[in-house]
């Protein structure tokens, strides 16, 4: 069971929300302004949420997060909410797929099994649910004991929605409709090979219609949305499709009670219309509120369980309290040691036993050492999507070396992790590159390459970074972010001429138009990205990180708020 500190953390939130809600008011003519005054007319309930699991069904090597510990925490919250007269609803903001090889090699079966054991009620469909063929998506939908919801994804052939748009739940006597929505960006960041038969429509317009339908049928007292669209403070979404803030602002005030989100993978803890700069795991968290709609997101990987305690009376919804509860997270102390934040949550024994079998499967091959690095290879999301890094260049070098190309373009969204100094295993490589894209080879004139990079290299990364941002190797150029043009000075030491021909690599995902890159008709080499990187590392043996450090002046970004990327 959980320790006293955990019990206190959970109980404080629950009691603060629920205490007094069963009281009465002697003045029956007074309109109640609190749950206590409303008495029996006040309904209390709790929404729990996670998002962007990305294959993290098992705890990491430091004992952080993991579905077994999540189960323990959620069960305790449920018990305490129920003891105080409430009921719970558990939602996921999507992206269950893609992130660690133990999950990827098994098509996320352990993750969906874990969600079943925990008892999720519904999930939004994330863009990474389409990293696999639709046959895998259908398998996961059949495996799940809960609905996968997406009101804005249509089958082109039939014209019908591919998933259910919403589901209505009875939560402590209240009818709560939960509508699922998926980012429009899936059309450009999803694998075109798998999603060509699907249409992704405007979530804002779909939600308006679904709300109209729910109202007309008198199906619900409250309407929630579980979304995979991203939270962008004050609606500033940069190169991303509009997210949860834009969604809330587009609705009629009062129509949409709350958004339980995902996709941008940040803890939505606000200070006004900006993120709270002082938020740390375990600290207070104030969710966003736009146009009368609460907006919440619990970072990523099951690092937190979001807990929103609601009160409903006088036909209005009130947020009594909110927390992001850390799941065995650790932080480094002054000596560099990882120290638990609070005390340990004991993993649920049954969930641990079931998931351990999946974790053990294939470990021997994954843990094979293929090389080493003398320093960190930087693949952290917020960095690799806003500047050139040694990891980005290492991957690009591996790809162009494999097919003897002049230069390489590697989308930052395809770099999913860093590699720390020390030994490198095949598992590390698969964690960095989990998508299984193949390497393509294109031949173009200098003029054609300039036109291509005018579109690719000038992507505006905004405040949060963009997966379309290109990591480059073998090319030197200036990028004018205002004019959206590039001036190439050298390709592979050959100089540059508009009429000369050059070769370059790009992942098959991007060659097919992913990340909104121009569509190419390249040579499909058949080489898989993770295998190419693993072979390259194995061939060198001992990687010197400095050999792949970005060279000052090679790629210069002009007329930008950042010297490292195009940024407004």
């Amino acid at each position: 069971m959980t320790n006293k500190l955990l019990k206190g953390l959970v109980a404080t939130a629950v009691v603060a929300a629920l205490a007094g809600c069963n009281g009465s008011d002697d003045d029956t003519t007074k309109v109640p302004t609190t749950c206590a005054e409303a008495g029996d007319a006040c309904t209390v309930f709790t929404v729990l949420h996670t998002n962007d699991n990305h294959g993290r069904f098992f705890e990491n090597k430091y004992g952080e997060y993991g579905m077994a510990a999540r189960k323990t925490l959620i069960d305790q919250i449920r018990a305490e909410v129920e003891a105080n007269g409430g009921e719970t609803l558990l939602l996921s903001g999507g992206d269950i797929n893609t992130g660690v090889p133990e999950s990827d090699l098994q098509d996320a079966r352990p993750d969906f099994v874990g969600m079943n054991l925990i008892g999720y009620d519904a999930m939004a469909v994330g863009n990474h649910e389409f990293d696999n063929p639709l046959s895998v998506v259908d398998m996961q939908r059949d495996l799940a004991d809960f609905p996968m919801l997406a009101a804005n994804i249509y089958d082109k052939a039939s014209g019908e929605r591919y998933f259910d748009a919403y589901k209505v739940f009875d939560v402590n006597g209240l009818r709560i409709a939960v509508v699922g929505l998926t980012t429009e960006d899936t059309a450009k960041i999803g694998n075109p090979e798998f999603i060509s038969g699907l249409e992704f429509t405007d979530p804002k317009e779909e939600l308006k219609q679904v709300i109209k339908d729910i109202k007309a049928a008198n199906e619900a007292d409250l309407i929630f949305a579980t979304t995979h669209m991203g939270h962008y403070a004050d609606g500033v979404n940069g190169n991303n499709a509009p997210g949860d803030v834009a969604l809330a602002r587009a609705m009629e005030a009062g129509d949409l009670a709350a958004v339980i989100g995902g996709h941008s993978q940040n803890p939505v803890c606000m200070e006004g219309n900006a993120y709270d700069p002082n938020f740390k795991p375990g600290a207070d968290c104030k969710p966003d509120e736009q146009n009368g709609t609460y907006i919440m997101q619990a970072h990523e990987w099951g690092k937190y369980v979001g807990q929103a305690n609601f009160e409903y009376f006088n036909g209005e919804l009130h947020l009594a309290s909110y927390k992001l509860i850390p799941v065995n997270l650790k932080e480094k102390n002054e000596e560099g040691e990882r120290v638990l934040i609070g005390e340990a949550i004991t993993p649920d024994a049954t969930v641990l036993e079931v998931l351990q079998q999946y974790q053990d499967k294939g470990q021997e091959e994954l843990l094979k050492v293929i090389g080493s690095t003398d320093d960190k290879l930087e693949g952290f999301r917020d960095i690799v999507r806003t500047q050139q890094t040694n990891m980005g260049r290492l991957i690009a070098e591996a790809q162009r070396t494999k097919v003897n190309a002049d230069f390489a373009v590697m989308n930052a969204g395809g770099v999913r992790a860093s590699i720390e100094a020390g030994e490198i295993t095949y598992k590390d490589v698969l964690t960095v590159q989990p998508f299984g894209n193949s390497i393509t080879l294109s031949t173009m004139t200098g003029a054609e390459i300039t036109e291509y990079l005018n579109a690719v290299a000038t992507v505006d990364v905004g405040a949060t970074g963009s997966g379309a941002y290109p990591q480059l190797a073998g090319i030197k150029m200036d990028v004018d972010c205002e004019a959206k043009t590039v001036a190439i000075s050298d390709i592979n030491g050959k100089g540059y001429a508009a009429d000369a021909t050059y070769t370059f690599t790009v992942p098959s995902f991007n060659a097919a138009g992913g990340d909104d890159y121009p569509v190419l008709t390249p040579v499909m080499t058949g080489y898989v990205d993770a295998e190419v990187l693993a072979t390259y590392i194995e061939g060198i043996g001992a990687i010197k990180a400095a050999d792949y450090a970005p060279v000052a002046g090679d790629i210069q970004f002009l007329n930008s708020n950042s010297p490292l990327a195009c940024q407004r």
Side-chain angles (χ1 to χ4, degrees), residues 243-537:
D244 295 334
V245 172
L247 181 75
R249 290 175 175 176
M251 299 302 114
E252 289 291 331
D255 277 357
L256 182 61
V259 174
I260 306 300
H263 187 51
S264 52
Q265 295 178 228
N266 46 3
V268 175
C269 302
M270 308 301 292
E271 191 174 83
N273 266 335
Y275 294 119
D276 184 352
N278 298 316
F279 174 76
K280 293 181 180 180
D284 291 338
C285 177
K286 182 180 183 296
D288 203 355
E289 186 174 359
Q290 299 287 335
N291 194 28
T293 301
Y294 300 109
I295 304 176
M296 303 163 184
Q297 189 177 153
H299 199 191
E300 61 184 5
W301 304 356
K303 293 177 178 177
Y304 301 89
V305 171
Q307 179 183 355
N309 297 307
F310 289 105
E311 301 171 344
Y312 182 76
F313 58 94
N314 290 346
E316 294 182 352
L317 185 68
H318 306 268
L319 181 63
S321 63
Y322 182 73
K323 283 184 178 293
L324 288 182
I325 304 175
V327 182
N328 287 341
L329 295 188
K330 297 178 181 180
E331 58 185 351
K332 288 185 178 180
N333 59 19
E334 294 180 356
E335 289 74 35
E337 301 170 326
R338 293 182 183 270
V339 179
L340 197 65
I341 299 169
E343 296 183 29
I345 302 172
T346 303
D348 179 87
T350 300
V351 176
L352 186 63
E353 181 181 0
V354 172
L355 297 184
Q356 184 71 58
Q357 298 174 54
Y358 289 102
Q359 181 70 4
D360 292 343
K361 191 174 182 179
Q363 280 293 297
E364 184 175 346
E365 184 64 27
L366 290 175
L367 295 176
K368 176 185 175 183
V369 176
I370 59 173
S372 65
T373 177
D374 64 349
D375 204 352
K376 181 180 182 180
L377 298 170
E378 184 59 75
F380 179 61
R381 176 191 176 100
D382 291 355
I383 298 176
V384 77
R385 296 187 180 208
T386 56
Q387 60 187 271
Q388 302 294 298
T389 75
N390 55 9
M391 176 68 86
R393 189 175 172 199
L394 172 66
I395 294 171
E397 284 287 356
Q399 293 180 359
R400 77 179 185 121
T401 298
K402 184 71 174 180
V403 295
N404 197 29
D406 289 313
F407 73 99
V409 179
M410 176 65 207
N411 66 316
V415 184
R416 307 302 289 187
S418 300
I419 295 179
E420 301 290 342
E423 293 182 335
I424 302 174
T425 65
Y426 196 76
K427 177 180 176 180
D428 293 326
V429 171
L430 286 171
T431 304
V432 173
Q433 294 202 278
F435 299 126
N437 288 305
S438 60
I439 309 306
T440 71
L441 181 65
S442 295
T443 302
M444 288 186 179
T445 66
E448 290 169 333
I449 289 170
T450 294
E451 184 178 356
Y452 180 78
L453 291 176
N454 283 344
V456 170
T458 60
V459 59
D460 184 351
V461 302
T464 58
S466 171
Y469 178 78
Q471 294 286 330
L472 301 157
I475 190 168
K476 298 179 182 180
M477 63 181 174
D478 290 344
V479 181
D480 189 324
C481 297
E482 184 174 335
K484 294 191 176 300
T485 59
V486 302
I488 303 170
S489 58
D490 183 76
I491 295 178
N492 198 24
K494 300 177 179 179
Y496 171 82
D499 59 352
T501 57
Y502 307 92
T503 57
F504 68 97
T505 62
V506 65
S508 56
F509 165 77
N510 302 98
D515 276 333
D516 228 12
Y517 279 32
V519 175
L520 302 173
T521 53
V523 174
M524 303 299 293
T525 70
Y527 297 124
V528 178
D529 51 12
E531 182 183 356
V532 169
L533 180 57
T535 302
Y536 185 80
I537 292 172

Side-chain angles (χ1 to χ4, degrees), residues 84-285:
N84 286 281
E87 291 185 5
T88 59
L89 188 66
L90 176 57
L91 304 175
S92 166
D95 267 9
I96 309 306
N97 287 268
T98 307
V100 295
E102 291 90 345
S103 173
D104 299 341
L105 291 172
Q106 300 173 80
D107 292 331
R109 284 182 177 85
D111 306 87
F112 281 91
V113 168
M115 292 176 75
N116 287 342
L117 292 171
I118 293 170
Y120 276 78
D121 292 299
M123 66 168 274
V125 175
N127 59 287
H128 282 289
E129 269 59 88
F130 301 101
D131 291 340
N132 304 298
L134 291 184
S135 59
V136 174
V137 178
D138 293 340
M139 175 277 291
Q140 294 172 347
R141 176 160 49 180
D142 291 340
L143 179 60
D145 291 338
F146 49 87
M148 297 170 68
L149 302 174
N152 66 312
I153 302 178
Y154 287 82
D155 176 54
K156 290 180 180 178
S158 68
E160 301 293 327
R161 287 190 173 106
Y162 199 78
F163 301 91
D164 289 339
Y166 66 95
K167 182 175 179 179
V168 179
F169 297 90
D170 184 324
V171 185
N172 212 15
L174 281 176
R175 299 171 303 162
I176 300 178
V178 177
V179 185
L181 295 164
T182 305
T183 175
E184 291 173 273
D185 274 346
T186 307
K188 67 178 181 179
I189 63 178
N191 192 325
E193 180 183 355
F194 303 143
I195 65 172
S196 60
L198 300 178
E199 180 182 6
F200 298 83
T201 60
D202 185 342
K204 300 186 296 298
E205 296 307 312
E206 291 290 345
L207 181 57
K208 288 177 183 177
Q209 184 59 51
V210 171
I211 289 175
K212 182 179 179 181
D213 293 343
I214 291 172
K215 284 184 172 181
N218 189 26
E219 289 185 279
D221 304 302
L222 292 169
I223 299 175
F224 279 57
T226 181
T227 71
H228 195 83
M229 296 171 56
H231 180 274
Y232 309 108
D234 203 22
V236 180
N237 56 293
N239 193 56
N240 302 285
D244 295 334
V245 172
L247 181 75
R249 290 175 175 176
M251 299 302 114
E252 289 291 331
D255 277 357
L256 182 61
V259 174
I260 306 300
H263 187 51
S264 52
Q265 295 178 228
N266 46 3
V268 175
C269 302
M270 308 301 292
E271 191 174 83
N273 266 335
Y275 294 119
D276 184 352
N278 298 316
F279 174 76
K280 293 181 180 180
D284 291 338
C285 177

